[in-house]
Amino acid sequence: MEDPTVISGDLSPKQAIQLQKDAASQVITYDDLPTVKTVAGVDVGFENRDVARAAVVVLRLDDLTPVEYAIARQPVRMPYIPGLLSFRECPAILDALNQLNRKPDLLLCDGQGIAHPRRLGVASHLGILTGMPTIGVGKSRLTGTHGPVPDIKGQWTPLEDDSEVIGAVLRTRQGVKPLYISSGHRVSLPTAIEYVMACVTRYRLPETTRWADGIASDRGQNWLRAIKTDRS
DNA sequence: GCGACAG
DNA sequence: ATCTTGTCGC
């Protein structure tokens, strides 16, 4: 393994796991990010199981207005294996990110950050690959345990693995299942929670994720015409 | 050996 | 992730 972070071609599960162990040591879990003016949401949808469609939507943090988006389609190379999600989705995401005119200051990814068996969920892996600050926003648990979460918007409970805090189980809205937040790269857990809440309005998912979901999935056209694109 | 298991 | 209608609750 020359560069332990590169995803080149198809890897066997064993190779992928070894790469994760090597790359995990490069993850930064303290705050090392610039002033955040724009936040992007990234998500991947699938067309007929064999084509991945990644969507990246950049929003202004102050009013959560979308300012730019990009979509990338790529043939699927790896199957979905719990713990190895990034190898399946990152190629398409990187492609979409490269299409942006201006890089966002922060990335909110669907899936875990360091709340992962080897501390390298898709958000952390994407952070290492791009060098960008990232946060993991999972809709369900991959690993770790936690106590009950108060049913009050903004409240959270630590997610831990062997008495190590790897994330937070956050109630983004009363009466709905909580979200699993964790540091991706260059963002601490407290800061991650703050930014996620800053992107939440009246729904369970932050606006970044809602926009990316909509565009990555089928009815993307409906969401696209709602964006006043400033691209040619 | 028997579960658990992001999207 | 994706397949899918109506329905319960604030």
Side-chain angles (χ1 to χ4, degrees):
Chain A
M1 310 273 128
E2 290 282 316
D3 184 338
T5 68
V6 171
I7 296 179
S8 56
D10 310 49
L11 298 173
S12 67
K14 279 192 173 183
Q15 294 176 305
I17 288 174
Q18 185 54 53
L19 186 156
Q20 292 183 319
K21 292 178 178 174
D22 295 337
S25 63
Q26 295 175 43
V27 174
I28 291 176
T29 56
Y30 52 79
D31 290 320
D32 175 34
L33 66 175
T35 297
V36 180
K37 290 187 175 180
T38 58
V39 195
V42 299
D43 186 39
V44 179
F46 295 87
E47 305 174 2
N48 306 314
R49 335 243 180 213
D50 49 21
V51 174
R53 178 166 53 193
V56 179
V57 183
V58 183
L59 310 183
R60 278 171 46 186
L61 180 62
D62 55 31
D63 62 359
L64 302 180
T65 297
V67 298
E68 184 182 5
Y69 71 89
I71 297 175
R73 298 173 69 259
Q74 278 190 17
V76 172
R77 298 191 179 194
M78 295 192 72
Y80 167 66
I81 298 175
L84 301 181
L85 178 68
S86 63
F87 296 90
R88 178 176 164 82
E89 304 193 338
C90 282
I93 293 174
L94 291 174
D95 189 324
L97 284 172
N98 284 326
Q99 291 178 45
L100 296 175
N101 293 313
R102 298 180 314 184
K103 300 308 172 190
D105 300 314
L106 176 64
L107 231 47
L108 298 208
C109 315
D110 263 48
Q112 318 298 329
I114 63 169
H116 176 281
R118 290 167 292 283
R119 308 292 182 265
L120 197 82
V122 61
S124 296
H125 201 158
L126 197 56
I128 291 300
L129 291 170
T130 64
M132 300 176 74
T134 63
I135 294 173
V137 180
K139 292 186 291 294
S140 60
R141 186 193 69 88
L142 170 59
T143 192
T145 59
H146 66 84
V149 187
D151 193 21
I152 298 175
K153 180 176 180 177
Q155 297 275 52
W156 57 278
T157 296
L159 173 64
E160 40 189 73
D161 192 26
D162 291 311
S163 66
E164 172 191 1
V165 176
I166 57 176
V169 189
L170 176 68
R171 190 75 69 182
T172 51
R173 178 190 168 158
Q174 181 187 112
V176 298
K177 296 194 305 178
L179 256 31
Y180 293 76
I181 312 303
S182 57
S183 297
H185 184 51
R186 299 174 58 186
V187 182
S188 68
L189 181 58
T191 299
I193 294 172
E194 283 182 20
Y195 280 122
V196 169
M197 287 310 296
C199 292
V200 170
T201 58
R202 59 177 303 195
Y203 304 97
R204 177 168 87 121
L205 300 175
E207 293 302 292
T208 43
T209 304
R210 296 187 66 243
W211 278 98
D213 276 357
I215 293 176
S217 292
D218 57 67
R219 75 291 180 188
Q221 302 311 310
N222 303 316
W223 288 74
L224 293 182
R225 66 188 303 277
I227 297 180
K228 297 175 182 175
T229 180
D230 55 14
R231 309 172 66 212
S232 54

